[in-house]
Amino acid sequence: MSAQSAARQRGPEGVRPIRTLRGAAGAVLRRYEIAVSDYAAIVPLDPRLDGDGLRKLVRLACLDLYRVSWRRAFLATDGARVLCWYVAPDAEAVRFVLRQQGVHAVVWPCEVQGPSDTGPAQSGRELIVVEVAREPALDAAAMASRHEATVATLGAAGHRVVRTFATRAGGPLLCLVEASDAVAVRVCLTGAGLAPGNVWGCTALEPEATPLFGATDGNAPAATAPPHPRVDRTAPDASAEVDAVIIGAGLSGICALKRLLDMGLRVRLYEAGRDVGGVWHFNRYPGARVDSESYTYGFSFSAEILAEWRWQELFAGQPEVAGYLRFVVDQLDLRRHMRLSTRVASARRDAIAGCWTVETDQGERVTARYLVAATGVLSATQLPDIPGRDDFAGESYHTARWPEAGVELRDRRVGVIGTGASGVQVIQTIAADVRHLTVFQRTPTYCIPQRNRALTDADRDAIARDWASILATCQNSYSGFVHDFDPRPGLAASAADREAKFAALWEKPGFAFWFANFGDLMMNAEVNAHASDFLRRKIRERVRDPEVARTLMPDHPFGSKRVPLENRYYEVFNRTNVRLVDLRATPLVALTRDGIRTTREEHPLDVLIYATGFDAGTGALTRIDIRGDGGLSLAAKWRGGPSTYLGMLVSGFPNLFLVNGPQNAAALCNAGRCIEQNVDWIARCIDHLRTRGLTRVSPTAEAEAEWTRHVEEVAEATVLRVNKDSWFFGANTPGKARRASIYAAGAREFREQCDAAARAGYPGCTME
Ligand code: NAP
């Protein structure tokens, strides 16, 4: 290889080749990774610079376009200069950005050392900048020892060195010190023969906060013009570095994308599916339908979308929900920020560069400061490990990976394994069409009537008129639905009143029987037993064969497993072409070429439907190779069960945000409402960082352990403690450690905890 071609292979100086592609006609395309590093600048200030000009100076370095971001600035108390600290690809970019604003500054590349605490000085102390001039005679080693001596001398005299900027290219050593005053620092260094240059008192500049979309509490930052200039978004973004990567284009990802773009961030979203929708793209099985009142399920952030989208059914079917999500994405013009049919394979944290490197199965590689996992609570499908699974000669499908072209079920012998929410919906929908249906049930579930109906124009008008109060009801209810618990304790009512209440709730649509029931339904075992008994009697009334009815009756507390909504589900078992197989009495032995064999007999099948659920909460995350500080993998961290702070942050994984992560209230919540709450909080946290020139957030190990303990404690205080045999505890995934993955105190309580943490300045997190 010639010297020239070797140089070409290496690429420009300071730039690392990351991938080589062979293009058309043998052309070699090479992609490079440009590292960003720290730069310090002392900016002499024009005395005429007023407050606005100064703020502009501080903000202007956050220009996304030039990948220069401002970290901290320290304004001299005499107003004559400011010490700025940037992260940028090179000094020229910083100079260019400053020059564009008419500011000429001395900019040096530097190594930042010292502890990360740059908060306000302790009371009675000031922040002092010491400029230790670099003498021409001093080489790097001599300068390093000068640095050590300076830090040691100041420390021995009781001054605290907060941070040092060891500048290169002939620049001075800049020490940021907490001390009583500048004179004391100068005297101390001069006395030790260290001859300081400029020594000046300063204050850390706090730029004004950005307005936060959707901030709800009184302490929300004041509205100001957005400090981050908008990037031209007319073309698809193909850059290898963005501010945030979002994984997933379901409700969560779409919501997060809209929110972060509104904040001026450059965002890239990756979605494995061929189209947007997340679970609503993949769960195309017959009968898939939302369990939230449709009009409360959609996003609340766009008046235009609220006005233009006309929900057709009280509980929309999968095609309508998927259509709604496509409509939202197109209306908001979000597709050009997305890469569809692209699965994120890995995400690795680079602690030095302070970013995540994300790689996809399509060979794409992008770096981002923030990584938002909008991967869904229930998206990682799982098939039971049944002997002979591959021997079955018929067709088999998982409900959540249903083929887009559909499946011909008419006149065929169909088996369904699983009777959770998916199984119930598919069973009640296909029973009348198939030649024979065999339902393989392991654990019966309490199902309550959905009472779906078409929405009329009058309904839609009423919804539009009452929208504000509907939204407020959802925001303040236990689970984000239009229903909320009756505050009365169940045992305070007489037996007759209790029965009357149960009967009235039974007639109502949606989750009324669950979430508008007595307030202690989920806490008091006796109240719960009355409700459970009521539902068992309903099953007995609806199913003709008493033995079949008995098999369909659960014995666990109502609500301790996710409650499916049904549309004439129980009547299915009165049909002559339907057979219920009780896998508790006759366990499944194996799949054979022709069907399923249980301990009693063989059931011949043409099609087998797995409605066997998901590796819930953690599965979608641990199936990606996510590695945080020190290369720790998320899968390894969670081997003993999930641990998070507020279900949204994970210690050791800075700037990784989970939307509806494990230990969040979202799993029991009306998804649309809780997703918006999660995304609001995440956006607010990012905004908090950016407006303070900070770049990193990570929960402390203590705060994470405390939240994990709290989530467990709440679960123990409810009827969930009696039955931990569900995905709520990871019990449905073989080999998974059992730990509460839902926050059972509910969405309202969760929101209050999240808001309190934000108001208090994120005490459970370290930020730098
Ligand atoms: P699921 O609730 O986990 O139910 C899985 C079913 O498969 C259970 O009946 C389970 O029995 C059975 N199963 C699993 N492995 C088995 C095995 N080896 N042998 C026999 N049976 C086995 O899953 P899902 O129904 O898909 O629902 C998951 C969640 O998705 C729901 O809880 C809900 O939150 C959400 N979802 C929502 C909607 C909606 O909003 N409309 C619709 C569908 C799903 P065991 O109970 O004995 O483990």
Side-chain angles (χ1 to χ4, degrees), residues 64 210-213 226-228 230 233 257-265 682-688 690:
D64 295 326
T210 353
L212 222 214
F213 188 66
H228 306 288
R230 288 297 180 104
R233 302 190 192 289
L257 179 58
K258 156 86 175 129
R259 192 64 51 95
L260 297 187
L261 288 174
D262 280 351
M263 289 168 68
L265 269 68
I682 291 167
R684 189 171 170 186
C685 181
I686 291 176
D687 193 69
H688 181 94
R690 280 163 56 93

Side-chain angles (χ1 to χ4, degrees), residues 289 291 384 418-422 425 442-443 561-562 611 613-614 727:
R289 183 172 295 286
D291 278 352
T419 53
S422 307
Q425 288 186 332
R442 191 164 62 185
T443 312
K561 280 180 100 122
R562 167 45 156 86
F614 306 88
W727 66 257

